[in-house]
Amino acid sequence: MDFGVVLQTNPPASRTVELARLAETHGFSHVWTFDSHLLWQEPFVIYSAILAATRKVMVGPMVTNPATRDWTVIASLFATLNEMYGNRTICGIGRGDSAVRTLHGRPSNLATLRESVHVIRELANDRAVEVNGAKVHFPWSRGSTLDIWVAAYGPLALKLTGEVGDGFILQLADPDIAAWTIKVVRDAAEQAGRDPDAVKFCVAAPMYIGDDRQHMREQCRWFGGMVGNHVADIVARYGADSSVPKALTDYIAGRQGYDYNEHGRAGNTHAAFVPDEIVERFCILGDAQEHVERLEALRDLGVTQFAGYLQHDNKEETMRVYGEHVIPALATPVVATA
């Protein structure tokens, strides 16, 4: 299993770069960031500094979207970073949430998401593609490679992920919901003639190492509010009695709105409707052994990466314990051969 961290690009940017450097030091293989240019600093500028300060970590957004960013510009950004620092970038993409809604926009439809994945992938992998009736390519790019991982929750978005994604990002750590989503993605990949085992599966959720249960819950309750934004869209589209697990939909009954000015922040006052049970199910809290046990369960379901959100007050200690105890415990054992 691979391990990543998910950072917000709050100023100063040097702090984001330092956290990324620490993550690599502690054995994390991926550094992801939020991508919402009004709420936080522009991530693609900071990616260049992260890549310059590190040696091996893969860097990319969790997640960008096809509504607020031009697809050809996204591809050019990745191809340029790959030329500068080697092929150390990865693209997480979804329909759009905070980056879109803060501008009173709407998330992209699935047809747009599908087309954007195709355009970005082709251009960032040194291939020509048709955009708006014009055949375009990057004549300066040589050897750039980019995987695109799609973030999804609802049935149709999960189906699209299986059909086109190099990877799938599930933003919560509940094993029951993970099992359902992974099956939908794998089935869709197989029906599309793809190898379902070739699709990578990333679970992304807050990780907090500590022993004060209530404090950890309060620090991570914001995450249930963030997930609730997507779940509300699913319920509006499919209804509360759809095939989506009740564990994902029932808790938003008390949701009364959301202020994106508090998006992704510990102490978010618009996440009070999120019960303790959901915080525990969606996040990974507790001592190292509790983290290992949850991650082993997710790995057994087919999860290939855990990306831990660090939007709380215990960033460095959590990364240290992961580096010393959790990551080694989940390392693939070496099988001796005669």
Side-chain angles (χ1 to χ4, degrees), residues 9 16 45 48-49 67 91-92 123 127 172 174 178 201 222 225 249 321 323 329 338:
T9 53
T16 305
V45 176
S48 191
C91 179
L123 287 174
R127 296 189 292 264
L172 54 83
D174 180 88
F201 292 96
W222 64 268
T249 60
V321 174

Side-chain angles (χ1 to χ4, degrees), residues 21 313 315:
R21 191 193 64 77
D313 60 3
K315 298 176 178 65

Side-chain angles (χ1 to χ4, degrees), residues 87-151:
N87 288 316
R88 292 172 51 203
T89 63
I90 187 167
C91 179
I93 192 168
R95 296 174 58 227
D97 182 35
S98 60
V100 178
R101 297 185 197 271
T102 50
L103 293 168
H104 293 174
R106 300 182 64 183
S108 301
N109 61 38
L110 293 179
T112 299
L113 179 59
R114 181 188 298 273
E115 186 179 357
S116 70
V117 168
H118 174 65
V119 169
I120 295 166
R121 174 185 284 125
E122 295 305 291
L123 287 174
N125 284 279
D126 292 349
R127 296 189 292 264
V129 70
E130 186 172 303
V131 181
N132 296 329
K135 190 172 184 179
V136 296
H137 73 289
F138 298 144
W140 46 266
S141 181
R142 296 290 185 274
S144 173
T145 62
L146 180 73
D147 282 350
I148 301 183
W149 293 18
V150 182

